[in-house]
Amino acid sequence: MSYSDKVVDHYNHPRNVGTLDKSATEVGTGLVGAPECGDVMRLQIKVNPETQVIEDAKFKTFGCGSAIASSSLATEWVKGKTVEEALTISNTDIVKELSLPPVKIHCSVLAEDAIRAAIGDWKKKNNVVETAAATAAH
Amino acid sequence: MSNNGVVVSESNTPVPEGVHLPIYMDNHATTPLDPRVLEAMMPYFTTVFGNAASRNHSYGWEAEKAVEKSREQIAKLIGATAKEIIFTSGATESNNLALKGIAEMYRERGNHIITQATEHKAVLDTCKKLEKQGFRVTYLPVQADGLIDLEDLKRAMDDKTILVSIMYANNEIGVIQPIAEIGKLCHEKGIIFHTDAVQAVGKITVDVQKDNIDVLSLSGHKIYGPKGVGALYVRRRNPRVQISEQINGGGHERGMRSGTLNVPGIVGLGAACEICSKEMEAEAKRERELRDYLRNKLETALDYTKVNGNMDHHLPGNLNMSFIYVEGESLLMGINDVAVSSGSACTSATLEPSYVLKSLGLGDDVAHSSIRFGLGRFNTKAEVDYVADKIIDVVRKLRELSPLYEMVKEGIDLSKIEWAAH
C-alpha cells in the first residue's frame, strides 16, 4: 500500500486533533463508522450563532492512514465555511485532494458522513430546519 | 515525506549501533536465505547442472547424489527415512498434493475430510475444491486460545472419514496444536493424518514417529532456504500411505510428482534442514527470550494490549499482539522502517480482518488492532529494542488521535454505543 505525499503529511501532522465540549450549544458532534469496520471518526464543529460560520473544528479518528488523512482534511476544509457551504463538501473532493486509491474511497465517504453528522447534530441542538442539501443522499 | 516512493515516517526513535533499516521481523511470511545455504547451492547452478533423472552419465549421477543427500538431511530433521520424502515446488503444492492425492486415492473408503478453521488458505481452498467434487469437509472451530478441542475432533470422525488435516503451528498466532494426540486418534480409527508443518519444521522438534504423522508438508523459504522448493513426507510403513499423483509426466518421485527436479533448490532445502537440525534447540531458546523480552517491554509501556493465542503452546519466534483502540494498518504506516504484518485488512474489499483472529472469537475491532511479529535467526536484541520503542511511540501517538481510547479513558462502555455502521 503506497500512500500519497498528502496522506503521509496528514498522518504525520494531523490538523485540528482534539475535543470540543459536546454539551455546548454551538458545538455539533458527528460520530460515524464502527470499530468492526476498523474505522471510527469523530468530527466536531463550533459554529458562530450569528453568522453560522464554522469557527473551529476538531477530530479524532480510529482507522487507517487514509481515514486519518480524510478526517484531518475535512476539519481544515470546514473551518471558515458557513454550515451550508460545508454541506457541499463531497467525498470525491477528498478523494481527489488526497489521491486515494479505490480501496480507500470508503474513508472519504466516512469523512463526508462525519461532516454531515456534525452539522446535523448542531442543527438539532439549535432547531435549525434541515435543508435539501443536508438530507440529499450520496 | 517520500523518498524514491518509500515513505519515511517521522519518528524520534534513535537507531542503535549495528541496526540497519528497514528491519525485517516478518519471518512467518518468508525468511532470508542463510549464506551457508547459498554456498551449498552455488555449484548446482553452474558446474553440476545435470538432470537428476539422467541415468547415463556422471552429470546426472552427480545431480542425483546431491538430491539424495538432501532427502537424507530433510528426513533426519523430521525423524523420517529418505525414501519418504517427495520434492515439490513448495508447501502450497505439498498441501494440494496431500489433500487431493489422498482424497482421490481413498475415495472408495470414504468421502469425509476433517480440517480446522484456522488453516492456511492452501489447505482451506483445496478443501473447498474437494467439496465441489463431492467430498464432505468438516471445519473444526478453535477455542479462544487457538487450540482445537480433541473432543470436537472425536465427534467429527465417522466411518466415512479418510483424512484429518490439522496444521502443526499457525502462521498468524503461532499456536501449536496437540499433534501427537491428534495423530493417535487418527491411527486408532484408521484415518490418515496430514499436517501442514511449514511453520513448525526447523523451529521446534517435529518427529513423524512420535507425533503419529502420516503425511507432512514443509517449505524451504520458511527455514532460511530458497523459495519455490518444498517437500511432502509420505509414510511408507504402519500405515503405508498412497497418494494419487496430481502432475503427470515422467513418473519422477516414485510416481507421485513428475517434473525435472530443481536440483539447486533441493540442495538448498537440504542444507537449510541440516542447519536447523544442528542449531534449532539453541536458536529456539534465543528467539523465545527475545520474544518474551519484546512482549514484556510492550506490555509494560502500554495499556490495553492483548496477546493472541495460547502462549504455552507457541512458536518461539511468534508474537501476535493487539494494540487496542489503534487500527493496525495505521500503526504499520508509522513503523514503515520495520517489516511486520497486521491482522487488519483495511485494504481488502470486504474490510474483513484476519479470519484466524476472528476464529478465536476476537471482536473485529481487536482483530483490526493486531500486529504479528515474526522473530527469526537474524534478528538481534538491538533490533527488538528499536522495534519496541518505535511501536510504543507510534501507539501512543495514534491513541492521542483515537476517539475510542478517549471514550474508554472517560469510562464509556463502547459496547453500549449504537454505531452507525457504514
Side-chain angles (χ1 to χ4, degrees):
Chain A
M1 187 82 218
S2 64
Y3 294 93
S4 69
D5 288 355
K6 280 183 177 161
V7 169
V8 174
D9 183 49
H10 278 279
Y11 174 88
N12 283 323
H13 310 283
R15 324 313 191 237
N16 310 307
V17 176
T19 310
L20 298 171
D21 177 5
K22 211 164 59 177
S23 59
T25 319
E26 65 270 26
V27 171
T29 301
L31 183 67
V32 295
E36 287 70 47
C37 315
D39 287 306
V40 175
M41 264 179 211
R42 188 188 65 198
L43 192 140
Q44 295 180 295
I45 51 171
K46 186 174 166 219
V47 184
N48 180 315
E50 305 298 314
T51 58
Q52 297 210 351
V53 167
I54 299 171
E55 289 181 338
D56 199 5
K58 294 282 182 210
F59 88 96
K60 281 202 176 187
T61 291
F62 161 85
C64 65
S66 301
I68 291 169
S70 296
S71 40
S72 169
L73 179 68
T75 58
E76 273 194 313
W77 277 0
V78 298
K79 271 165 93 167
K81 284 191 170 70
T82 65
V83 167
E84 291 309 312
E85 285 167 344
L87 284 170
T88 63
I89 295 171
S90 108
N91 81 293
T92 49
D93 303 333
I94 295 170
V95 169
K96 216 175 288 169
E97 174 69 16
L98 297 175
S99 319
L100 296 181
V103 292
K104 294 297 184 186
I105 285 173
H106 70 274
C107 300
S108 68
V109 174
L110 209 56
E112 184 192 321
D113 287 350
I115 297 172
R116 288 167 184 274
I119 292 170
D121 180 54
W122 173 81
K123 282 183 170 175
K124 212 160 79 184
K125 275 185 183 171
N126 294 274
N127 299 316
V128 178
V129 181
E130 286 284 341
T131 57
T135 51
H138 59 262
Chain B
M1 308 237 265
S2 265
N3 180 351
N4 300 332
V6 177
V7 181
V8 181
S9 67
E10 298 173 15
S11 147
N12 311 323
T13 315
V15 182
E17 195 72 30
V19 169
H20 298 285
L21 300 178
I23 291 169
Y24 189 74
M25 212 172 270
D26 197 17
N27 286 283
H28 302 301
T30 192
T31 54
L33 195 73
D34 190 300
R36 295 169 288 181
V37 172
L38 179 62
E39 202 178 334
M41 292 169 70
M42 290 301 266
Y44 296 91
F45 286 109
T46 49
T47 47
V48 195
F49 60 81
N51 186 330
S54 296
R55 293 269 183 262
N56 307 321
H57 50 66
S58 64
Y59 284 91
W61 303 331
E62 285 295 309
E64 193 189 11
K65 203 166 88 184
V67 167
E68 293 316 310
K69 181 185 169 189
S70 170
R71 252 189 250 279
E72 295 279 353
Q73 289 165 315
I74 297 163
K76 192 172 165 211
L77 179 63
I78 60 169
T81 61
K83 280 192 170 149
E84 296 173 302
I85 305 297
I86 305 296
F87 289 111
T88 67
S89 65
T92 296
E93 192 201 334
S94 293
N95 286 333
N96 270 263
L97 176 57
L99 272 63
K100 291 172 181 166
I102 290 166
E104 231 170 79
M105 184 60 85
Y106 295 89
R107 181 82 206 229
E108 282 174 17
R109 197 188 288 181
N111 70 338
H112 182 229
I113 296 167
I114 301 171
T115 184
Q116 63 174 344
T118 52
E119 288 292 314
H120 192 273
K121 290 287 184 193
V123 166
L124 293 177
D125 288 353
T126 305
C127 284
K128 290 273 178 291
K129 174 106 191 210
L130 288 167
E131 281 188 276
K132 286 198 183 97
Q133 295 169 357
F135 287 88
R136 276 188 304 128
V137 182
T138 300
Y139 299 91
L140 296 176
V142 294
Q143 301 166 99
D145 63 357
L147 290 169
I148 62 162
D149 183 340
L150 292 173
E151 292 303 315
D152 286 348
L153 175 61
K154 274 187 213 164
R155 268 194 299 273
M157 289 173 167
D158 61 35
D159 59 352
K160 290 278 185 273
T161 311
I162 49 173
L163 172 68
V164 168
S165 177
I166 300 287
M167 69 182 358
Y168 209 115
N170 185 269
N171 49 302
E172 283 190 44
I173 51 176
V175 170
I176 300 165
Q177 298 293 346
I179 293 297
E181 287 91 331
I182 296 167
K184 189 163 167 280
L185 281 176
C186 291
H187 286 181
E188 283 165 3
K189 305 247 182 199
I191 297 166
I192 297 169
F193 177 40
H194 164 257
T195 183
D196 171 353
V198 166
Q199 298 290 344
V201 164
K203 314 282 167 48
I204 54 174
T205 307
V206 172
D207 184 316
V208 294
Q209 301 303 354
K210 288 190 191 130
D211 292 336
N212 307 307
I213 296 164
D214 298 320
V215 187
L216 172 149
S217 304
L218 63 91
S219 173
H221 76 104
K222 309 285 192 188
I223 53 173
Y224 313 94
K227 292 173 180 62
V229 62
L232 187 67
Y233 155 79
V234 183
R235 181 177 283 277
R236 291 187 80 202
R237 292 166 55 196
N238 309 319
R240 179 181 178 83
V241 176
Q242 291 178 286
I243 289 195
S244 167
E245 81 283 5
Q246 301 300 305
I247 296 176
N248 304 91
H252 309 73
E253 298 299 276
R254 298 177 28 234
M256 285 191 241
R257 201 276 190 182
S258 292
T260 298
L261 291 178
N262 164 13
V263 177
I266 286 168
V267 167
L269 175 56
C273 286
E274 182 162 320
I275 294 169
C276 287
S277 290
K278 287 180 183 149
E279 299 177 1
M280 189 166 67
E281 204 176 325
E283 178 57 22
K285 183 173 175 288
R286 192 189 75 91
E287 279 177 26
R288 190 172 293 113
E289 282 165 7
L290 272 186
R291 190 268 319 276
D292 292 343
Y293 174 74
L294 172 64
R295 175 188 175 178
N296 191 286
K297 198 163 169 167
L298 293 169
E299 283 180 336
T300 306
L302 298 167
D303 54 0
Y304 298 107
T305 58
K306 181 181 182 306
V307 169
N308 301 311
N310 184 313
M311 291 307 281
D312 297 327
H313 303 275
H314 211 95
L315 288 174
N318 172 278
L319 178 65
N320 189 306
M321 202 178 217
S322 290
F323 301 91
I324 304 172
Y325 314 124
V326 170
E327 194 274 335
E329 199 185 326
S330 66
L331 179 50
L332 292 187
M333 194 173 163
I335 54 166
N336 53 25
D337 52 6
V338 177
V340 290
S341 61
S342 166
S344 180
C346 207
T347 46
S348 71
T350 59
L351 304 184
E352 280 282 303
S354 146
Y355 67 92
V356 171
L357 294 172
K358 286 193 73 172
S359 301
L360 306 183
L362 285 191
D364 282 358
D365 49 342
V366 180
H368 273 298
S369 306
S370 81
I371 299 288
R372 177 186 71 178
F373 302 92
L375 292 160
R377 186 178 290 171
F378 300 107
N379 288 122
T380 62
K381 185 155 188 267
E383 286 179 333
V384 170
D385 270 319
Y386 178 84
V387 170
D389 290 343
K390 186 120 191 179
I391 293 253
I392 291 162
D393 180 46
V394 177
V395 166
R396 282 181 181 152
K397 252 189 232 168
L398 290 169
R399 281 183 176 169
E400 286 299 304
L401 291 186
S402 172
L404 304 177
Y405 188 67
E406 181 185 296
M407 289 179 206
V408 165
K409 283 290 189 195
E410 285 172 0
I412 297 168
D413 180 355
L414 295 180
S415 64
K416 298 277 187 289
I417 293 179
E418 284 193 27
W419 299 104
H422 202 63

